[in-house]
Amino acid sequence: NPELRAFNRFKDDKTLFNMTSKIAEGRLKESLDIVTDKMDMSNFSKEDYVDHWTIKYQNILSERYDELRTKIRYP
């Protein structure tokens, strides 16, 4: 696309090194494990991804609602 321009902010060698360091790798893996509940999603189809994240979102939303339900004040 000729209208797109390169984003030059991350051409700093230190930034790129920190993004690929072993520390970043470990933290990224921890974050992915939290989000995916340590599930291997490498062989999921697109429908499986959508179903998994829809159910996960509904469960989290339901838990959050139950947590805040008693705190909500009615006008």
Side-chain angles (χ1 to χ4, degrees):
N1 188 348
E3 296 177 7
L4 296 178
R5 293 185 299 152
F7 190 67
N8 296 325
R9 177 183 238 173
F10 290 108
K11 290 193 175 181
D12 181 18
D13 293 337
K14 290 182 182 179
T15 302
L16 293 175
F17 175 77
N18 290 334
M19 291 172 65
T20 58
S21 69
K22 292 294 182 185
I23 294 171
E25 178 185 356
R27 289 183 181 165
L28 181 60
K29 181 160 178 31
E30 289 173 8
S31 298
L32 286 173
D33 286 345
I34 290 169
V35 171
T36 62
D37 298 327
K38 296 186 180 182
M39 291 177 52
D40 179 19
M41 297 184 159
S42 60
N43 56 359
F44 274 30
S45 67
K46 182 177 180 180
E47 291 80 19
D48 292 337
Y49 276 116
V50 171
D51 291 342
H52 174 77
W53 295 116
T54 302
I55 292 168
K56 185 171 181 76
Y57 175 74
Q58 288 173 344
N59 291 339
I60 291 171
L61 188 61
S62 177
E63 290 172 6
R64 183 72 173 153
Y65 171 77
D66 290 339
E67 177 186 329
L68 295 177
R69 181 171 49 143
T70 59
K71 298 178 184 178
I72 297 174
R73 297 188 324 174
Y74 297 96

